[in-house]
Amino acid sequence: MSFQAPKGTFDWMPPRSEWALIVRDALSAPARRAGYGYVETPAFEDTGLFARGVGESTDIVTKEMYTFQSRGGQSLTLRPEGTAGVVRAVLEHGLYGGALPIKLWYSGSYFRYEKAQAGRYRHFSQVGAEALGAEDPALDAELIVLACDGYASLGLKNVRLLINSLGCKECRPAYRAALQDFLRGLDLDEATRQRIEINPLRVLDDKRPEVQAQLVDAPLVTDHLCGACKAYHEEVRSLLTAAGLTYADDPRLVRGLDYYTRTTFEFVHDGLGAQSAVGGGGRYDGLSEMVGGPALPSVGWALGVDRTVLAMEAEGLISERPGHVEVFAVPLGEEARRRIFSLVAQLRRDGVAVDMSFGGRGVKGAMKAADRSGARFALILGERDIEAEAVQVKDLTTGEQTAVPLAEVVDVLKGKLA
């Protein structure tokens, strides 16, 4: 019997997996610099948390959740997104009783039973950031800027920012009624007609071409915003412009979750085909109340690690190997292996990334391994070198080779790598 990864999933394998780590670090670094603390929540939660928080009318809840019964009889669900679990953790641990806003970031795996295709997986990775407990357009703008900074640090040039406002509980009812009147006149299947009555915004998020073709003249939420929402949205836009960001207004952008209010945004990359979104988020001022907590206006985003790697590949930013090994050690003989092993350990303790040749390879095979490692320098130790209490340091870029006393090689290498 042979086993394979389940349909809709894949394994991250070296060297490509190294880029997934680089992407996670790059996307989270701006948030960490802005005072966001790390939070880690369970990979599964009570099913009711997602039914109430994400929304019972969403495709995520009705079609895509991995739900199972625990041995104790509780209905549990593998998390399909990160925000609801973070809000649950904040409420459970009473963080809302301290200084606000609460700034948190996280990274992990998420699960949705979707049609498997390029860029859309049933097990995927995201980096997320949430700011909870403050209704401030500057906070919305801050998070958008942090995400843009993360993409830029990876060298991505073709990530586009789309923004919209979904209004608030004051102005949303009038828009909801206008949208429902429009949608009821369309030729839609019964399941979609039921969605019109539960949450008509979800119909706007329907990706089927035959549905989208009928939505061309649908009323726009931006035409129904109250004065407060218009002013809030204009302030967000003004702050983004002041920060030097380029964005496009997309009045049809609604995202796929029920909890969004006011600011909503998406990052798209045109090199990914149909699955062009690489990240997105928005404000969710009512989510805390939905899951049994106090009023806690909040905003956040989630950025896809998998799709960001695909975007980097589309722009030619992925090299064959990210080159994390700086030095490769080549021992020639048993005594050399013993001596160089302790040298490698010392270099690693001093912060140098070092690998070495294993398995008793000859010099030719060991040097090929050194070249494949992406290291800048090779350390070569043979019998004559041991007698001379020296080691050969070879620059793998220029081919230049120098004998360095064993007692000095750590300082010499650190100087060359500085």
Side-chain angles (χ1 to χ4, degrees), residues 326-327 329 339-354 377-379 389-393 402-418:
E326 299 169 302
V327 177
R339 297 286 293 271
I340 214 164
F341 186 86
S342 60
L343 180 59
V344 164
Q346 183 180 347
L347 282 165
R348 289 172 177 165
R349 290 173 186 139
D350 284 353
V352 180
V354 191
F377 297 99
L379 292 181
E389 288 292 318
V391 63
Q392 302 295 320
V393 177
T402 326
V404 177
L406 280 168
E408 301 174 14
V409 69
V410 173
D411 290 337
V412 168
L413 277 172
K414 289 171 71 175
K416 288 178 177 290
L417 292 167

Side-chain angles (χ1 to χ4, degrees), residues 26-48:
L27 296 181
S28 62
R32 299 198 305 270
R33 290 194 297 267
Y36 288 70
Y38 180 67
V39 62
E40 187 168 323
T41 61
F44 54 87
E45 299 267 7
D46 189 297
T47 300

